[in-house]
Amino acid sequence: MKKLLFVLVLFFFTNQSMAESIDFNKNEIIEQCQHGKVLPKITTFKINIVHHKTTSEDGCLIVKENNNNPAKSNQRSVKITVHPDFCSRDEGWNDCTNDRSRVEFYDAEGVKSNKRVVYDFSIYIPKDMNIAQIDNSIKKRQSVVFLSQLNTITSKMYKSLVMLRWTDSDGLIFDTYDKFNWKVSKSSKIPHLLPESQKGRWIDISYEVDVYPNKKGKLKIYADGKLVYERYNHRTIKKYGKISLKLGIYNYRESKMKRPRSSQYVYYDNIKKTVTSF
């Protein structure tokens, strides 16, 4: 009986604490991102949340536009937050034992062969945000922060066509991969836009992909309407594969980040998927 009472008391206080933390900024928060559902007035397609059972409760929020939170349209945006020492996991992967941390969401359906997809989104990094948290005393194999991925997937393969990372020296950099591996083929910067100028404002990004498992494949990347990268006559999926956009913060080699850590957060808005069949 005592054990049962203890469990009930613990359950009550735990849930009270969770409720209070979720409602703490209720004047700013519209709702939490929901795994397997659309982000209302932000996406028209359903999203899945990476490690959705173990991600932090404030990791992916739809927030109201105000002095603290920017928005591009509809007076709302998605705020992604990764706290110091946070990590998540699922049945297939454990960030906690692999020196990573993240809060990410992705197109749940993806886009299959013989189609063109244009993924559009806008990203906002606050001016005072130290998003990279690089430890400059480490000269080799430093930590890396990614803010977007364009993934190419089959039932047996998970690779990227594009990974968007942030560096304090160059700002946003698009790493592209040509051979379905993790070796970067080319790194493309946003031309004529210094890192300081990339913060505190919305940057519009587009990935245009002709989805084919042969040389009909094509990839174009735009930033603020200007072409940053293009590749023709190159397959973008393997047989029976698909393309899927992923957004959020992904820290690689988290243990190499500068201590003490601080929370990282960025905003996303105007997330669109336009599909054309050939």
Side-chain angles (χ1 to χ4, degrees), residues 18 32-35 48-61 79-83 86-90 95-96 101-105 249:
M18 288 178 65
Q32 291 176 298
C33 304
Q34 299 296 315
H35 182 77
N48 284 340
I49 299 172
V50 177
H51 304 165
H52 68 280
K53 293 180 180 179
T54 59
T55 199
S56 57
E57 59 188 15
D58 65 345
C60 185
L61 299 174
K79 182 179 182 180
I80 297 293
T81 303
V82 176
H83 295 296
F86 166 77
C87 59
S88 57
R89 64 193 180 280
D90 60 19
D95 276 353
C96 307
S101 65
R102 79 182 83 199
V103 174
E104 297 177 299
F105 62 92
I249 299 172

Side-chain angles (χ1 to χ4, degrees), residues 159-172:
K159 303 295 182 184
S160 292
L161 296 178
V162 185
M163 295 189 76
L164 176 61
R165 60 186 167 95
W166 173 271
T167 69
D168 293 333
S169 58
D170 295 306
L172 294 170

Side-chain angles (χ1 to χ4, degrees), residues 1 35-36 65 74 91-92 110 121 161 165 193 220-221 260:
M1 185 66 183
H35 182 77
E65 181 181 18
N74 294 318
E91 294 80 6
F121 65 95
L161 296 178
R165 60 186 167 95
L193 195 60
K220 289 185 176 182
I221 302 173

